[in-house]
């Protein structure tokens, strides 16, 4: 009996040591590139992953828990012009598994149109809103700005990050007086740059002069009731107070549409916008 117990103890100890050794050899989880931490080699970016982040404003798991407000969907009728391949220089090109294309029309199933800036244009006269404390992040990944279209409140902080292994230069090009232009080089995985804008401006342009295909567009408004349509074409303006409003949907190429909407008891009837391809495309 003592011999059997001794054999059991030896076997148990061997299994325990093996488990400890195997556990200690597990590889550490990689830090996502967008966190700004350095990596030894730049990963190849899949096209779908890059643009899924760019187009979506509400994650799938949060859609069922949206706060009260104004919701709807954007649809594009007709076939948009084909997107053009971007002729990236080799250092940027090798960051992609496939050749990147322009993002003039990001269209999903059944004509769902992404990258439409939706905001309350009228109905808030006399009301002022403090800028949110949380900043908005504009990243540079794979030598492209992402998201391609974002929203920002006046005086709210916008952080621009370089998650790439190459240098960029960050060049906002405002057209509205009082919004400041600047042009600064940003080193690979360098410090985030911070920007604020004093005045409303829809589609304030960011570009990189080193890589001339790099653009992003910022919708700057005076209120917090704005959104960018996601890959499924949906949008949601959160926590809108009761009242009558004009809501505008603005797409860089398809133009803009506006609708009247009334919010009662924290919500409104869904409002949808249908864009058509402009003739002069």
């Amino acid at each position: 009996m003592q011999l059997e117990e001794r054999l059991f103890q030896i076997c148990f100890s061997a299994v325990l040591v093996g488990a400890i050794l195997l556990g200690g050899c597990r590889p550490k989880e990689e830090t996502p590139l967008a966190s700004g931490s350095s990596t030894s080699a730049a990963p190849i970016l899949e096209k779908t992953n890059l643009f899924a982040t760019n187009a979506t404003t509400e994650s799938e798991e949060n859609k069922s828990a949206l706060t009260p407000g104004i919701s709807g969907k954007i649809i594009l009728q007709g076939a948009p012009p084909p997107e053009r391949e971007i002729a990236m220089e080799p250092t940027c090109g090798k960051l992609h598994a496939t050749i990147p294309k322009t993002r003039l029309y990001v269209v999903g199933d059944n004509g769902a149109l992404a990258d439409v800036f939706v905001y309350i244009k009228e109905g808030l006269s006399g009301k002022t809103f403090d800028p949110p404390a949380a900043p908005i992040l504009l990243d540079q990944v794979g030598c492209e700005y992402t998201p391609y279209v974002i929203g920002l409140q006046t005086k709210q902080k916008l952080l621009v990050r370089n998650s790439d292994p190459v240098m960029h230069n960050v060049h906002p090009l405002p057209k509205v007086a009082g919004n400041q232009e600047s042009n600064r080089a940003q080193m690979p995985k360098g410090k985030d740059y911070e920007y604020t804008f004093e005045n409303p401006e829809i589609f304030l342009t960011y570009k990189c002069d080193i890589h001339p295909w790099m653009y992003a567009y910022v919708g700057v408004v005076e209120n917090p009731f704005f959104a960018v349509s996601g890959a499924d074409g949906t949008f949601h303006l959160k926590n809108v107070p009761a009242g009558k409003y004009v809501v505008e949907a603005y797409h860089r190429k398809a133009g803009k549409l506006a609708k009247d909407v009334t919010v009662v008891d924290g919500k409104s009837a869904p409002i949808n916008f249908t864009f058509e391809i402009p003739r002069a495309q």
Side-chain angles (χ1 to χ4, degrees), residues 110-272:
N110 301 315
L113 184 60
D115 291 340
V116 179
F117 184 70
V118 185
Y119 69 105
I120 290 182
K121 183 177 182 179
E122 297 177 14
L124 296 168
S125 298
K127 297 180 180 179
T128 59
F129 302 90
D130 293 331
I136 299 295
L137 177 65
L138 177 61
D139 206 349
Q140 296 164 98
V141 182
C143 296
E144 292 185 291
Y145 277 112
T146 181
Y148 185 56
V149 177
I150 59 175
L152 186 75
Q153 190 175 333
T154 50
K155 299 181 176 63
Q156 184 180 9
K157 292 179 182 179
L158 173 66
L159 300 181
V160 178
R161 179 172 298 167
N162 182 3
S163 291
D164 278 335
V166 300
M167 184 176 74
H168 295 300
N169 86 295
V170 183
H171 190 179
L173 291 165
K175 296 180 180 178
V176 173
N179 291 338
Q180 297 298 315
E181 180 181 359
S182 63
N183 194 344
R184 294 190 287 175
Q186 192 173 38
M187 299 304 293
K189 305 184 191 302
K191 181 181 178 181
D192 293 348
Y193 287 161
E194 182 179 305
Y195 299 86
T196 58
F197 298 99
E198 297 293 316
N199 300 309
E201 181 171 349
I202 308 300
F203 296 142
L204 187 154
T205 302
Y206 269 79
K207 66 173 295 189
C208 173
D209 296 317
I210 299 173
H211 307 106
W213 62 83
M214 287 182 61
Y215 283 90
Y217 300 92
V218 185
V220 184
V221 292
E222 290 181 307
N223 65 74
F225 310 117
F226 59 84
V228 178
S229 62
D232 60 359
T234 62
F235 66 89
H236 183 71
L237 310 184
K238 301 178 181 179
N239 299 319
V240 179
K244 295 182 178 181
Y245 305 101
V246 175
V247 175
E248 183 169 86
Y250 198 163
H251 186 268
R252 288 188 54 252
K253 292 297 182 179
K256 47 189 170 182
L257 299 171
K259 285 190 174 183
D260 296 331
V261 61
T262 299
V263 175
V264 179
D265 296 330
K267 60 183 179 179
S268 71
I271 57 171
N272 301 318

Side-chain angles (χ1 to χ4, degrees), residues 89-106:
E89 48 86 14
T91 303
C92 291
K94 71 181 181 181
L95 300 176
H96 296 265
T98 59
I99 299 176
K101 294 184 178 181
T102 55
R103 295 171 280 177
L104 303 183
Y105 288 93
V106 179

